[in-house]
Structure formats: C-alpha cells, structure tokens
C-alpha cells in the first residue's frame, strides 16, 4: 500500500488580500484631490476666465453673447482643473482595474506606487492617457453647470442678494440638467 506524502501547511505569514492602512491612505489622497479640483480650483479659475471672456459684454444688449461667454468660461474652468487632477483620476482607474487580482498578481501597491510606475515606464504623457475624451466631457459638463448657473442667477433682479433657498433650487436644477446633458460624454465621476 502506497502512502501519500503529508500535505503542506499554509504559511502563517501569508499576505492579506486587503490592506486597511494602504486603503485609508489612498482614499484620503483621492478624496483630497477630488475636493480640491471640484470645489476650490474650478470656481477660482472660472472667475479668471469670466474676466478674460466677458470683459465689455453687456448682458442687456448682448444677451446671447453673454450666455455663450458664461458657457465658455465654465468649460474652460473645468478643462483647466482637469489638467491638474487628471493624473490622479487616471491612477485611480488603473488601481480599480488592478484591485480585482490577487496580491501576487497586482501591478501596483497603492496610488503613489501606481503614479511612479507609470511615470517611469511612459513619462508624464502616460499619466494623461485618455485625456482627450475626458476633457471633452468635462467641458460640456462644466460649461452647462457653471454657465447655466451664472446665467440664471444673473437674470435675477438682485443676483448678489439671492436668498439661499433660491440659489439652492437653481443649483439643483442646473446640476440635474448638466448631468443629463453631459451623460453621453461622461468618462469619470463628474
């Protein structure tokens, strides 16, 4: 009678599938990047673009030009902020595709590792793969969002003294319409 060799016991120092510390660090980095790009950077840049595009435009006499300038300043602000934050969005997408694999097959260890490996293999251009499609979508989204919001608020009798609830209602309608309009172009979270 032939005896089977003893089975190997699994190693105790086996790597975990999910590293909580790495997850927290990456979540914080991604959250900060998104918050900065979508709440702080875009509106500031939009004010600069409004100065550039809308100087000398009278909304009572040139309404359609004023509307187009509002849309253009919103789109330009969105595109500019995307230039800053796109590498992080791209790296997050790559990490998302990598996460479904086991620890041994994963290509990246975290957000920083992902960015550094892409930089080493493809250079800065590698972090902007797919940027053309994404920037088209953000221009449509932010043009319709910022442009429509500023246009509607600008049509009110006292835009600077608009009650909070009215501004909130305008923002909700504009956000919904902007999302619907830009949905066919959406390549990332807007």
């Amino acid at each position: 009678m032939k005896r089977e060799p003893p089975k190997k016991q699994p190693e105790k120092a086996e790597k975990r599938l999910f590293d909580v510390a790495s997850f927290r660090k990456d979540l914080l980095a991604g959250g900060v990047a998104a918050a900065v790009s979508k709440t702080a950077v875009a509106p500031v840049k939009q004010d600069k673009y409004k100065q550039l595009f809308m100087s000398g435009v009278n909304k009572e006499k040139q309404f359609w030009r004023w509307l187009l300038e509002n849309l253009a300043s919103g789109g330009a602000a969105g595109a500019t902020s995307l230039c800053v934050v796109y590498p992080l969005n791209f790296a997050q997408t790559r990490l998302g595709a990598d996460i479904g694999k086991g620890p041994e097959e994963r290509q990246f260890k975290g957000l920083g590792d992902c960015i550094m490996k892409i930089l080493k293999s493809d250079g800065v251009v590698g972090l902007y793969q797919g940027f053309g499609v994404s920037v088209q979508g953000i221009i449509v989204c932010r043009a319709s969002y910022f442009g429509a919001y500023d246009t509607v608020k600008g049509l009110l009798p006292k835009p600077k003294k608009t009650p909070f609830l009215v501004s909130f209602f305008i923002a909700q309608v504009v956000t919904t319409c902007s999302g619907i309009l830009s949905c066919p172009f959406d390549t990332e979270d807007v």
Side-chain angles (χ1 to χ4, degrees):
M1 189 152 121
K2 195 173 183 182
R3 289 183 119 184
E4 291 183 32
K7 294 180 180 178
K8 287 186 178 180
Q9 296 293 327
E11 293 180 27
K12 290 180 181 177
E14 195 174 305
K15 288 186 177 181
R16 292 186 293 171
L17 286 175
F18 183 73
D19 182 13
V20 175
S22 178
F23 173 77
R24 285 181 181 165
K25 184 175 65 174
D26 291 341
L27 181 67
L28 180 64
V32 168
V36 168
S37 73
K38 295 185 178 172
T39 59
V41 177
V44 170
K45 291 196 179 344
Q46 193 213 8
D47 289 342
K48 296 292 182 191
Y49 283 116
K50 282 178 87 169
Q51 291 171 1
L52 176 72
F53 287 124
M54 300 181 76
S55 62
V57 178
N58 183 333
K59 73 177 178 184
E60 282 81 27
K61 294 180 182 177
Q62 301 170 302
F63 173 77
W64 294 108
R65 181 174 174 195
W66 179 70
L67 171 65
L68 290 174
E69 301 289 343
N70 262 332
L71 295 172
S73 66
T80 303
S81 65
L82 186 66
C83 289
V84 174
V85 78
Y86 187 80
L88 290 172
N89 290 345
F90 178 73
Q92 285 177 324
T93 302
R94 290 287 301 266
L95 283 171
D98 199 37
I99 203 79
K101 302 173 184 173
E104 297 81 32
E105 295 111 29
R106 287 187 189 153
Q107 189 177 358
F108 309 111
K109 294 177 185 163
L111 187 62
D113 182 54
C114 179
I115 290 171
M116 294 310 295
K117 283 183 177 176
I118 292 169
L119 277 173
K120 284 179 185 172
S121 66
D122 302 327
V124 175
V125 174
L127 292 172
Y128 285 89
Q129 295 174 47
F131 180 77
V133 173
S134 195
V135 79
Q136 291 172 31
I138 203 72
I139 288 171
V140 171
C141 178
R142 295 301 181 207
S144 60
Y145 178 79
F146 287 129
Y149 181 80
D150 290 346
T151 299
V152 171
K153 270 203 78 176
L155 294 174
L156 297 174
K158 295 180 181 174
K160 302 258 186 209
K161 295 185 179 184
T162 305
F164 172 76
L165 286 176
V166 173
S167 293
F168 182 78
F169 177 74
I170 293 168
Q172 296 312 304
V173 170
V174 165
T175 301
T176 302
C177 293
S178 174
I180 292 168
L181 181 65
S182 65
C183 184
F185 302 97
D186 191 16
T187 59
E188 61 174 278
D189 289 331
V190 204

